[in-house]
Amino acid sequence: MSKTNLGKNQITEGIIWKQLLIFFVPIAVGTLFQQLYNTVDAIIVGRFVGKEALASVGGSASVISYQVVAFFTALSTGATVIISQFYGACDSRNLHKGLHTSYAFAIIVSIIISIVGWFSTPWLLGIMNTPSDTMDDSVLYLRIYFLGIIATLIYNMGSSIMRAIGDSRRPLYYLIICCVLNITMDLLFVVVLKMGIAGAAIATILSQGTSAILVTRSLMTSYNMLKLELRSIRPTLSILKSELRIGLPGGLQACTYGLTNMIIQSAINGFGTDTTAAWAAFGKMDLIFWAISGALGTSVTTFSGQNYGAGKMNRVYKSVRISLGMSLAICGTILACLMIFARPLFHLFTTDENVIEIGVYMLLYIVPSYSIYIFVEIISGALRGMGDVLIPSLITIGGVCGVRLPWILIMTPIHHSISTILISYPLAWASKALLLIPYYFYRKRKMRCKTSGGCLLCADRSKA
C-alpha cells in the first residue's frame, strides 16, 4: 500500500463539529442555489415561450431527466465512499485507481444513456401520458438533453469526488458559475434569438459542459494526492466491483423513490385541481428541509468514510452524534418556521383561499413527522460512509415498498382522504428508523468487539 504524507487532515484530526459545519454549508448553499436556478429557468421558458413549452420542460421530460440524474448520483455514491476511504487511509495508489475508474465509469454510462435515451424518448413520454400538444417539444428537449448527458454525469461524478476528499467549496463555486451561465444563455437563446425549447436545452448542455470542464481541471491540478490524468482514465475491475457493490443498492433505492412519487402524485391528482395545486406549492416549501437534511447526510458520509479509512472509529461515532444534534437543531428550526408561517407562505403561491386552506392543512398535518426522517438520513449517511449500504438500502426499500406503497394502494380507495395519503410518509419513515437505529448500534458493537479483541457477550457466544 502506497501512502503519502498529506499533513494534517482536518476531517480525521480537526474539531468535528467545526469541520462538519465548514463542510456542510457549501453543500447546503449549492443545493438551495440549484433550486433557485431551476425556478428561474422555468419562469423564462414559461413567460417567453408559453405554457405549452413550460409543460414540455417541466412536465414528463423533467421527471425523466431527474430520475436519470438521481439514479446516477446514487450509483456514484460507491465511488465517493471508496475514494473517501482511500483518502482517509492515505492510500495514494488505490486512490489513483479509484479516481480514474470513476471517471471511466461516468463516461461509459453516459454513452449508454445517450443512445438508449435518444431512441426510447418517444416511448417513455408516451407511457407517462404526455399531452399531445406538448409531445413534440418534450421529445426535442429530452433528446438534446440526452445528447449532452455526458457533461452532467461528469460534473456530478467529479464534484462528488471533490467532496469525498473534503472539498465542498469548489463544487459550490462551479455550480454558481454554471447557474449564472445557464440563466444568461437562456435569456440569449430563448428571449433574444427565439430558439424556444431547443434554446433552453442547448443552454443547459453548454452550462453543464462548462462546469464539467472546471471540475475536471481542478482534479487535474488542484490536489497533491489526487491527480486526474486523461491518459490514465480506464476502469480497474476490482475497484469498479467495490464501487458498484456500494452504489447499486442506492441506485435501486432511487428508482423505488421515483416510482413511489409518481404513484402518490397520481393519487393526489385524483382529489382535483385545488389539492394538486396545494401539493405543488407545499413541495416547493419543504425543499429547504430536504436540501439541509441531504447536505448533512452527505457531510456525515464523507466524515464517516475518511475516519473509517483512517481506522478512527471513535471519530465516526462522535460525528454521528454531533450530526444528529446539528440536524435536529437546524432542521427543527426550519420545520418550526414552516408551521408558524404556513399561511403567509402559501399566499406567495396563490390567492385562492381553498387552495391555501388545503395546503395549510397538509403542512400542519405532516411537517412535525419530518423530525423522524432526520435519524434516517444521518444514520444511513454514516453507514454508507463505512461501506455498509446493502442492509440500509433494503430497509429503505422495505419502508417504501412494504409500507408506503401498500398503504397508498390499499387504504386510499377505502378512506378517500388527504390525510390517508399524508400519513403514509411518517409510517414509512418510522418503520425505517425502527430498523436502522438498532442496526447501527449492532454494527457499532460488532466493530468495537472486532477492534478490541472481543467482549464478554461475544466470548460467551463463542463458548456456546
Side-chain angles (χ1 to χ4, degrees), residues 15-27 168 296 299 303 322 326 330:
I15 300 172
I16 293 178
W17 71 265
K18 183 177 180 181
Q19 296 306 316
L20 274 169
L21 200 59
I22 292 172
F23 189 75
F24 149 77
V25 170
I27 299 175
S168 59
L296 284 161
S299 300
F303 268 72
I322 293 174
M326 290 172 58
I330 298 172

Side-chain angles (χ1 to χ4, degrees), residues 52-330:
E52 290 81 6
L54 178 59
S56 299
V57 174
S60 300
S62 176
V63 172
I64 294 170
S65 60
Y66 174 80
Q67 282 304 123
V68 169
V69 174
F71 173 74
F72 178 79
T73 300
L75 204 61
S76 66
T77 301
T80 305
V81 170
I82 293 296
I83 287 174
S84 68
Q85 291 180 0
F86 287 149
Y87 189 81
C90 298
D91 186 349
S92 60
R93 181 170 62 87
N94 280 320
L95 188 61
H96 176 84
K97 292 180 180 179
L99 171 63
H100 293 89
T101 296
S102 301
Y103 252 69
F105 176 70
I107 293 170
I108 293 169
V109 171
S110 65
I111 292 172
I112 294 172
I113 290 176
S114 291
I115 296 171
V116 174
W118 175 273
F119 290 105
S120 65
T121 287
W123 175 75
L124 289 170
L125 292 170
I127 64 172
M128 293 185 68
N129 296 319
T130 302
S132 57
D133 59 344
T134 67
M135 177 62 81
D136 290 342
D137 279 346
S138 296
V139 170
L140 176 62
Y141 179 86
L142 206 51
R143 279 182 162 172
I144 294 175
Y145 180 85
F146 278 130
L147 285 178
I149 196 71
I150 187 171
T152 302
L153 300 194
I154 285 179
Y155 167 75
N156 277 277
M157 178 63 80
S159 60
S160 295
I161 290 170
M162 293 165 74
R163 294 187 188 104
I165 63 172
D167 184 0
S168 59
R169 293 186 180 183
R170 282 189 179 90
L172 171 61
Y173 301 151
Y174 300 153
L175 177 61
I176 292 174
I177 292 172
C178 169
C179 291
V180 172
L181 188 61
N182 198 325
I183 292 171
T184 302
M185 287 192 292
D186 267 341
L187 291 170
L188 175 63
F189 294 155
V190 176
V191 180
V192 179
L193 300 180
K194 309 293 184 183
M195 295 175 64
I197 290 292
I202 293 170
T204 298
I205 288 176
L206 291 178
S207 60
Q208 288 285 353
T210 301
S211 63
I213 291 171
L214 291 171
V215 165
T216 302
R217 182 177 177 275
S218 282
L219 288 171
M220 294 173 67
T221 61
S222 300
Y223 306 102
N224 293 326
M225 191 177 179
L226 200 69
K227 290 288 184 184
L228 179 67
E229 300 170 352
L230 298 182
R231 66 179 182 275
S232 298
I233 296 178
R234 66 179 67 89
T236 300
L237 293 182
S238 60
I239 291 180
L240 180 60
K241 183 179 178 181
S242 297
E243 292 180 352
L244 289 176
R245 177 181 60 82
I246 296 173
L248 278 174
L252 180 60
Q253 183 177 314
C255 292
T256 305
Y257 273 125
L259 174 63
T260 306
N261 289 334
M262 290 174 64
I263 292 174
I264 288 177
Q265 184 64 59
S266 298
I268 290 289
N269 292 341
F271 286 92
T273 302
D274 286 0
T275 301
T276 303
W279 183 253
F282 173 56
K284 296 295 182 182
M285 293 179 200
D286 73 346
L287 279 176
I288 187 171
F289 168 83
W290 298 114
I292 299 300
S293 178
L296 284 161
T298 300
S299 300
V300 78
T301 296
T302 297
F303 268 72
S304 175
Q306 288 201 26
N307 284 286
Y308 179 82
K312 299 183 177 182
M313 295 307 300
N314 284 334
R315 286 181 65 84
V316 172
Y317 306 138
K318 191 173 181 180
S319 69
V320 173
R321 293 195 299 271
I322 293 174
S323 296
L324 277 173
M326 290 172 58
S327 190
L328 287 169
I330 298 172

Side-chain angles (χ1 to χ4, degrees), residues 322-366:
I322 293 174
S323 296
L324 277 173
M326 290 172 58
S327 190
L328 287 169
I330 298 172
C331 294
T333 302
I334 292 170
L335 297 177
C337 289
L338 286 174
M339 295 178 68
I340 293 170
F341 300 106
R343 191 168 295 276
L345 286 171
F346 273 99
H347 273 286
L348 294 175
F349 292 89
T350 182
T351 57
D352 189 300
E353 285 300 324
N354 191 44
V355 173
I356 293 171
E357 288 298 326
I358 296 171
V360 170
Y361 171 78
M362 287 179 171
L363 189 150
L364 295 179
Y365 189 93
I366 193 174

Side-chain angles (χ1 to χ4, degrees), residues 42-62:
I43 289 172
I44 292 173
V45 172
R47 291 291 298 274
F48 293 99
V49 183
K51 64 181 181 181
E52 290 81 6
L54 178 59
S56 299
V57 174
S60 300
S62 176

Side-chain angles (χ1 to χ4, degrees), residues 409-444:
L409 296 175
I410 296 172
M411 298 304 296
T412 301
I414 298 174
H415 302 284
H416 193 66
S417 65
I418 297 298
S419 60
T420 304
I421 296 177
L422 295 178
I423 202 172
S424 68
Y425 284 92
L427 285 175
W429 296 335
S431 67
K432 288 186 281 186
L434 287 173
L435 293 175
L436 269 176
I437 293 172
Y439 179 72
Y440 168 75
F441 283 106
Y442 163 76
R443 277 297 311 271
K444 182 178 178 180

